[in-house]
Amino acid sequence: MIGVVVPAHDEQACIGACLDSILRAARCPALAGEQVEVIVALDRCSDRTGEIAATAGAQLVSLRAGNVGMARAAGVARAIAGGARWIACTDADTAVPADWLSGQLAHGGDAFCGLVDVDDWRDYMPGVRERFGQAHPRCWEHPHVHGANLGFTAALYRACGGFAPLPAHEDVALVAAMARCGARIV
């Protein structure tokens, strides 16, 4: 089973599109029908995020931490308890491609660190798009870690200690711990 973890804090405007994209990726023929469970970790939500996620069929984990590391950890704990062998993480304001899950698995690593794209640059200062493109080249051996495009085996996650309770960069800390464990990171 594949577990998909999405931390969320008041994301009612975008969680529906995020979950639609995940469910599309879960139907990818390359997964050969493997079960995919989506867990939304609701962290101090006061809007309709949970209602929208439940209607989409996601499992919900609620916490009041105000901490993305703790939210991701709670979601991963639920996925592993449900029997997940692979965990994929994304963010509530993200839409994943149809081959997102199958692509992570196809590379055969212990962990997968993918890139992200920005669809709408209108609210950014001039020059930000160009600097992003220069800093995030589209290549295999990139040094970037994005919680919005991250996957790993449940066994590796347990071996390296899991997500730290960090309010930011919890994804970077996890991948660093995975590297120290000798993981094959693609």
Side-chain angles (χ1 to χ4, degrees), residues 17-100:
C18 173
L19 295 174
D20 286 347
S21 72
I22 293 168
L23 295 174
R24 185 181 67 249
R27 293 188 301 269
C28 180
L31 293 177
E34 183 168 1
Q35 180 182 355
V36 175
E37 300 226 354
V38 181
I39 299 103
V40 176
L42 303 166
D43 190 4
R44 294 188 331 180
C45 286
S46 60
D47 66 359
R48 295 182 55 244
T49 301
E51 179 185 331
I52 295 165
T55 299
Q59 295 182 37
L60 306 180
V61 175
S62 295
L63 63 158
R64 303 211 46 78
N67 182 295
V68 70
M70 293 173 77
R72 285 195 202 278
V76 173
R78 170 71 64 88
I80 290 173
R85 68 177 182 92
W86 183 264
I87 311 295
C89 295
T90 194
D91 292 337
D93 63 352
T94 301
V96 300
D99 65 348
W100 180 58

Side-chain angles (χ1 to χ4, degrees), residues 27-178:
R27 293 188 301 269
C28 180
L31 293 177
E34 183 168 1
Q35 180 182 355
V36 175
E37 300 226 354
V38 181
I39 299 103
V40 176
L42 303 166
D43 190 4
R44 294 188 331 180
C45 286
S46 60
D47 66 359
R48 295 182 55 244
T49 301
E51 179 185 331
I52 295 165
T55 299
Q59 295 182 37
L60 306 180
V61 175
S62 295
L63 63 158
R64 303 211 46 78
N67 182 295
V68 70
M70 293 173 77
R72 285 195 202 278
V76 173
R78 170 71 64 88
I80 290 173
R85 68 177 182 92
W86 183 264
I87 311 295
C89 295
T90 194
D91 292 337
D93 63 352
T94 301
V96 300
D99 65 348
W100 180 58
L101 296 170
S102 61
Q104 287 186 9
L105 294 170
H107 297 293
D110 300 313
F112 178 90
C113 295
L115 294 171
V116 297
D117 287 323
V118 177
D119 288 335
D120 184 356
W121 292 96
R122 289 179 290 187
D123 292 335
Y124 292 90
M125 299 287 292
V128 170
R129 182 178 192 169
E130 291 76 23
R131 287 192 303 277
F132 180 87
Q134 291 168 353
H136 294 81
R138 310 294 296 173
C139 62
W140 277 105
E141 297 300 323
H142 66 84
H144 304 289
V145 176
H146 301 283
N149 193 358
L150 181 63
F152 43 84
T153 67
L156 174 61
Y157 181 81
R158 287 189 297 261
C160 75
F163 280 111
L166 298 172
H169 309 298
E170 77 294 342
D171 47 0
V172 174
L174 177 68
V175 172
M178 290 175 170

